[in-house]
Amino acid sequence: MTSGSPIGRRTVELSTGFIVWKIYDYLFDYALYPFVIWKLGPWRGGPLMASLSLFICLLFLRVYDRLRRDWIGLEFVKGLRHYRGRSRWQKALAWLVSRGDVMAFLVLSAKFGPFITTAYLRKGAYNGMTGRDWSIFMASWLLGNALWTFICYGGISTLRLLF
């Protein structure tokens, strides 16, 4: 087992961070969020889930800065802007994020939310939040939650029509 070596420890760290992030992501985005929108509707459930999302994403940013470790692989992803390898997926991602911060903001906000978007677009790592970072965070939070509320409500409405 290579967990004693620096590469092994880094692999375990990134794997653990990724697993924690994905568990949160799936439980929150694909179970809790749609359930709350279904039960409370978009006008009551949306703000409730957006508030919960705000708290959780701020907590993740705080942990990310406090640990001063890239436990989710974001610093690696920042390097994808200049990716020249063979992977089509990584080339597509590199092409999108290399279109500038606005495109990266839109793609990351829609797909991942404010924690990933803010951590990705920050000028430094683990250095706290600047005014620019807060603007990115809050805009990503608003865009991501509005979009996700709309998607959940649309999916629930479609299911109601079908059944």
Side-chain angles (χ1 to χ4, degrees):
M1 180 132 179
T2 62
S3 63
S5 72
I7 293 173
R9 283 192 304 271
R10 184 71 179 134
T11 301
V12 168
E13 180 180 77
L14 286 173
S15 299
T16 303
F18 181 77
I19 289 168
V20 167
W21 173 254
K22 289 318 275 180
I23 288 171
Y24 155 76
D25 188 40
Y26 282 110
L27 290 177
F28 190 84
D29 288 351
Y30 300 110
L32 185 60
Y33 214 112
F35 178 77
V36 170
I37 298 299
W38 173 57
K39 285 296 195 184
L40 300 178
W43 298 112
R44 288 187 309 171
L48 175 65
M49 292 309 295
S51 299
L52 188 56
S53 166
L54 180 68
F55 172 75
I56 291 170
C57 289
L58 283 171
L59 181 65
F60 272 128
L61 272 170
R62 179 94 168 144
V63 168
Y64 188 74
D65 282 346
R66 291 284 246 181
L67 291 177
R68 303 190 67 76
R69 301 280 302 164
D70 182 22
W71 53 269
I72 197 129
L74 287 173
E75 299 308 315
F76 169 75
V77 174
K78 286 181 182 182
L80 286 177
R81 292 181 191 202
H82 310 291
Y83 180 76
R84 301 281 183 251
R86 292 185 179 183
S87 168
R88 287 183 184 175
W89 167 248
Q90 287 180 346
K91 280 184 184 179
L93 182 61
W95 184 83
L96 283 172
V97 297
S98 70
R99 303 282 79 60
D101 285 351
V102 172
M103 180 59 80
F105 168 82
L106 292 172
V107 170
L108 295 173
S109 293
K111 177 68 177 142
F112 299 110
F115 164 57
I116 299 291
T117 304
T118 304
Y120 180 84
L121 290 173
R122 283 201 292 195
K123 297 300 181 191
Y126 326 117
N127 55 353
M129 299 278 280
T130 65
R132 177 184 180 273
D133 298 335
W134 278 109
S135 297
I136 289 168
F137 180 86
M138 293 308 292
S140 178
W141 170 76
L142 184 63
L143 175 65
N145 280 282
L147 181 62
W148 201 242
T149 298
F150 175 75
I151 288 169
C152 289
Y153 184 68
I156 290 165
S157 297
T158 302
L159 287 173
R160 282 184 180 153
L161 284 173
L162 295 174
F163 301 106

